[in-house]
Amino acid sequence: MHILVLLKMAPDVVEDLEIAPGGKALDLDCLRMILSESDDHALEQALLLKERHGAKITALALDAPEVDDALFTAAAKGADRVMKVVGMDPGFTTREAARYFSQAIAEEPGLLPADLILTGVQAIDDLDGLVAPIVADGLRMPYLGIVTGVALEASAQAARAIKEYPAGVRGEFLVQLPAVLGIQAAEKPPRYVPVAKVRAAMKSVKIECSQALTLADGGLPLVGVVEMKRNEPAGHAEMLEGKPDQVSGQLCGILAERGLF
Amino acid sequence: MTGNICVLAEQWRGQITEVTYETLALGREVADQAGVPLTAILPGSHCRELARFLGAADAVVYIDHPLLAETVPQTCAEAVAQAMAGERPRALLVPLTNISLGIGTLIGVRLGAPVVNFCRDIRVADGRLLADCVMYGGKIEATVEAGAPSGPGPAILGIWPGARQAEKGRAEREVPVTDAAVVLEDTGAIRLCRYIEPEAGDVDLTKQEVLVAVGRGLQDRANLPLAEELARALGGAVCGSRPVIDQGWLPLSRQVGKSGLTVKPKLYVALGISGAPEHIEGMKDAALIVAVNSDPQAPIFSVAHYGIVGDAVETMPALTAAVEARKAAGQHA
Ligand SMILES: Cc1cc2nc3c(=O)[nH]c(=O)nc-3n(C[C@H](O)[C@H](O)[C@H](O)COP(=O)(O)OP(=O)(O)OC[C@H]3O[C@@H](n4cnc5c(N)ncnc54)[C@H](O)[C@@H]3O)c2cc1C
Ligand SMILES: Nc1ncnc2c1ncn2[C@@H]1O[C@H](COP(=O)(O)O)[C@@H](O)[C@H]1O
């Protein structure tokens, strides 16, 4: 069993986000990039499958600041091979990201055949599409998204995947392999790996590089950001200020006035 | 359909979904602005009768095929792309739900059309189709131009739930229905085996008047009792955002949001919850929303009525004590 995990870095929104001069994009200099949360879950789901069934895991990432950290961490957790696609035009969109992934998958020896291709269901910056369905379509593989659990059938020709629906309802799907799954959450939260193990991986593991090809067809259909701005919540809510006991007293008065307790 | 605004009508388990009505309400406004008809596209199997619920549209295109009985994104996208082939609608609005996620992207790829995700609003200005998008977990708003009018194919626009009130898009009447014939291959690659109904929890969140909701800002499972004490003092129950449920701190029956429950309590206290659109969609209609978050930029403050910038872990016991004190004072008075 070969599981290919596609990883994309995304801005850490815990940090303050700044808009670049020109007002159409985030200021990359002020960003901290982290592995997109659901991609981290995709990696974890791959590791769980490896533990249960034995598998080779290849992690393929797109070059971005901090991507080496993410890949060494993936190796420290149990990925067998780590590779990054380099040389993309900066500021590529999600749809372009999907095509960079697809090109690398097609071109680099050993990425195919893959029985499962796992990636996050959606990243917070997926403005012009989602990676998983595009890669699936390109490879003519079935796609299922919002997946929160994967079990292999005994034949290893198919998997049972749990997909989330609204209101806590889930669906159990039988998916013929190879397939691409957009993972929402792994069956367990992503594991913690000690820093020492990541450091060891930095010494012993080599990140392979795949050179991105220029996207040939003169670009994708137009999606142009006209303006980007920070959501300024200030002014919306009435803000209560003071020490915890002061604001609590204030809030309590407001709730009591409304007969809420 | 050429020139029209189209809405993908989503049906699930035999019914048109609420988000479809919301999306129709938005589509109606955009169509009126552009001075063009609104068309609803309804894929399904033996459900032509559902068309009459799509009366907010001027016309319905019904795509009937046995493989469309359940919404499998690739099959549905292929069907819609075939139904739209040769036509040049101005835009196709697709609800961003757990049912339809991925369909918009796939239609865009198949038609070579631009896709814009995360739309909260759409408008036509000077002939341009503009989308207001909420991205980066709610922290950033972007205005996006969705394809030049002369560009290839329609613009595919993914619409967040809550863009409009469902009531505004709900209209039952006889609408002209056209049938679109499609050819779909049954590869059997993806098959829904069964639905797994949610286990009934110990409390029904939707019936609670007060909810104390905790998010990742709770920091540690060990802090959960602080939320439970606050909920007890307020006479409510504890619920959580997705990371809290994913980490196993609370059961799935306590999840609020897109994949969890939609709640409308009299009071919703959000502690350490950032306010991502997928969470907001489950609680935005609470009568009174109070948010406690250490980040003054947290998007939850955009829907909250009262906000406290501070540490949730410190605020919880202080608020519990204040409530208890007030209740005690009330009893003695
Ligand atoms: C298809 C899909 C379905 C989804 N369904 C749901 C759903 O049903 N429900 C849901 O909730 N989410 C859902 N999500 C996930 C959603 O996008 C967010 O990731 C999630 O809501 C974030 O949860 P959070 O606010 O607890 O965590 P975060 O976004 O990490 O926010 C934590 C917040 O806590 C604050 N904080 C940190 N420390 C403290 C402290 N000590 N005191 C006070 N504040 C603190 C931080 O400033 C931050 O704002 C879904 C996503 C997808 C793609
Ligand atoms: N224009 C229409 N609007 C709403 N419902 C219709 C329309 N045409 C047919 N139906 C209903 O759809 C169901 C199936 O119709 P048909 O497939 O045409 O036999 C029947 O219950 C019809 O009454």
Side-chain angles (χ1 to χ4, degrees):
Chain A
M1 159 119 327
H2 179 209
I3 306 175
L4 182 57
V5 184
L6 308 182
L7 304 176
K8 194 166 88 103
M9 305 299 282
D12 185 355
V13 291
V14 169
E15 308 282 314
D16 248 358
L17 301 178
E18 300 289 343
I19 307 293
K24 294 188 178 184
L26 290 184
D27 189 343
L28 299 176
D29 295 336
C30 303
L31 286 183
R32 200 174 86 94
M33 300 295 275
I34 54 170
L35 182 56
S36 173
E37 191 176 350
S38 55
D39 290 357
D40 201 13
H41 280 268
L43 174 64
E44 182 61 33
Q45 188 60 57
L47 294 165
L48 293 172
L49 288 169
K50 177 176 173 173
E51 284 168 3
R52 290 209 293 262
H53 304 281
K56 180 185 168 186
I57 298 177
T58 304
L60 177 67
L62 299 182
D63 199 13
E66 319 299 335
V67 72
D68 288 4
D69 267 5
L71 285 172
F72 285 128
T73 303
K77 288 179 173 183
D80 301 277
R81 186 180 176 196
V82 291
M83 183 186 283
K84 63 178 175 182
V85 183
V86 298
M88 286 88 66
D89 294 332
F92 54 86
T93 69
T94 296
R95 214 149 145 185
E96 287 162 341
R99 291 175 58 189
Y100 287 123
F101 276 127
S102 301
Q103 280 184 349
I105 293 169
E107 301 288 327
E108 292 296 334
L111 297 189
L112 291 178
D115 302 282
L116 268 174
I117 300 181
L118 304 184
T119 189
V121 61
Q122 181 171 290
I124 53 173
D125 59 354
D126 281 342
L127 184 62
D128 72 339
L130 306 177
V131 166
I134 302 178
V135 169
D137 242 29
L139 294 170
R140 301 189 173 281
M141 287 184 190
Y143 153 79
L144 190 67
I146 329 187
V147 169
T148 57
V150 185
L152 282 187
E153 293 283 283
S155 65
Q157 309 277 301
R160 276 182 198 271
I162 304 296
K163 171 200 160 94
E164 285 188 350
Y165 281 101
V169 177
R170 286 164 298 155
E172 183 186 290
F173 282 78
L174 191 63
V175 182
Q176 300 302 321
L177 303 186
V180 182
L181 303 181
I183 303 291
Q184 164 76 267
E187 288 150 41
K188 289 185 197 163
R191 65 197 61 197
Y192 173 77
V193 60
V195 181
K197 250 186 136 179
V198 179
R199 291 236 175 83
M202 284 175 175
K203 294 207 180 96
S204 62
V205 175
K206 188 177 172 310
I207 297 175
E208 296 172 57
C209 286
S210 167
Q211 192 62 43
L213 307 173
T214 317
L215 297 178
D217 58 4
L220 293 162
L222 180 77
V223 171
V225 174
V226 178
E227 189 192 7
M228 199 177 262
K229 56 183 200 287
R230 304 201 315 176
N231 172 14
E232 296 294 351
H236 219 280
E238 186 177 322
M239 302 306 282
L240 309 179
E241 280 163 34
K243 298 215 171 70
D245 51 337
Q246 292 169 326
V247 290
S248 295
Q250 252 179 295
L251 182 59
C252 229
I254 294 163
L255 300 184
E257 225 168 79
R258 293 180 175 237
L260 282 163
F261 65 84
Chain B
M1 275 186 263
T2 297
N4 292 8
I5 302 296
C6 297
V7 168
L8 178 67
E10 185 185 76
Q11 46 108 1
W12 187 47
R13 308 181 92 176
Q15 284 190 339
I16 300 293
T17 62
E18 288 294 296
V19 187
T20 298
Y21 297 122
E22 298 173 8
T23 310
L24 280 167
L26 174 60
R28 183 76 263 167
E29 284 178 30
V30 182
D32 291 348
Q33 276 173 24
V36 298
L38 178 68
T39 304
I41 301 181
L42 174 66
S45 175
H46 296 293
C47 65
R48 199 173 197 273
E49 72 281 2
L50 290 177
R52 73 190 149 88
F53 297 108
L54 305 174
D58 300 300
V60 175
V61 173
Y62 176 58
I63 315 173
D64 188 276
H65 197 286
L67 290 177
L68 298 172
E70 300 292 346
T71 305
V72 172
Q74 282 166 322
T75 315
C76 184
E78 177 60 27
V80 175
Q82 284 185 26
M84 283 168 58
E87 306 267 355
R88 285 282 306 277
R90 183 72 191 275
L92 172 68
L93 281 55
V94 182
L96 286 179
T97 66
N98 282 8
I99 300 156
S100 294
L101 194 85
I103 293 178
T105 297
L106 287 164
I107 295 173
V109 169
R110 280 156 203 240
L111 294 180
V115 174
V116 184
N117 243 332
F118 306 147
C119 301
R120 182 180 56 187
D121 210 351
I122 312 284
R123 62 206 139 86
V124 178
D126 305 328
R128 296 158 79 193
L129 189 60
L130 297 175
D132 291 326
C133 302
V134 176
M135 50 193 304
Y136 298 105
K139 279 208 154 179
I140 295 287
E141 295 174 357
T143 302
V144 176
E145 179 157 12
S150 56
I156 314 295
L157 308 169
I159 312 295
W160 281 122
R164 290 293 183 276
Q165 284 177 338
E167 285 321 309
K168 299 210 166 108
R170 207 192 303 270
E172 196 177 332
R173 69 184 176 99
E174 290 291 312
V175 201
V177 182
T178 324
D179 293 283
V182 295
V183 181
L184 302 173
E185 189 196 350
D186 187 1
T187 62
I190 298 249
R191 197 160 52 79
L192 175 68
C193 306
R194 61 180 179 125
Y195 284 112
I196 305 168
E197 301 303 328
E199 280 171 33
D202 45 346
V203 285
D204 182 351
L205 288 189
T206 61
K207 298 213 164 68
Q208 298 289 318
E209 295 201 335
V210 175
L211 287 173
V212 172
V214 289
R216 196 166 3 221
L218 185 67
Q219 316 238 358
D220 199 314
R221 182 183 209 145
N223 294 324
L224 200 57
L226 298 176
E228 280 157 2
E229 280 152 29
L230 176 58
R232 205 170 307 130
L234 288 169
V238 175
C239 59
S241 64
R242 154 145 238 142
V244 169
I245 279 70
D246 283 349
Q247 297 191 73
W249 296 352
L250 285 172
L252 187 59
S253 58
R254 302 281 184 120
Q255 181 171 326
V256 169
K258 192 179 210 74
S259 303
L261 294 165
T262 299
V263 296
K264 289 181 192 172
K266 288 186 177 159
L267 173 63
Y268 191 88
V269 187
L271 299 139
I273 293 180
S274 63
E278 292 91 348
H279 186 79
I280 304 235
E281 118 180 30
M283 46 64 76
K284 63 180 187 328
D285 294 326
L288 189 72
I289 300 170
V290 176
V292 182
N293 197 301
S294 50
D295 175 6
Q297 295 288 331
I300 190 76
F301 291 127
S302 303
V303 291
H305 302 99
Y306 292 95
I308 296 169
V309 175
D311 187 335
V313 181
E314 278 177 31
T315 307
M316 284 188 287
L319 191 52
T320 306
V323 173
E324 296 292 6
R326 204 168 179 108
K327 286 206 293 202
Q331 270 159 16
H332 294 147

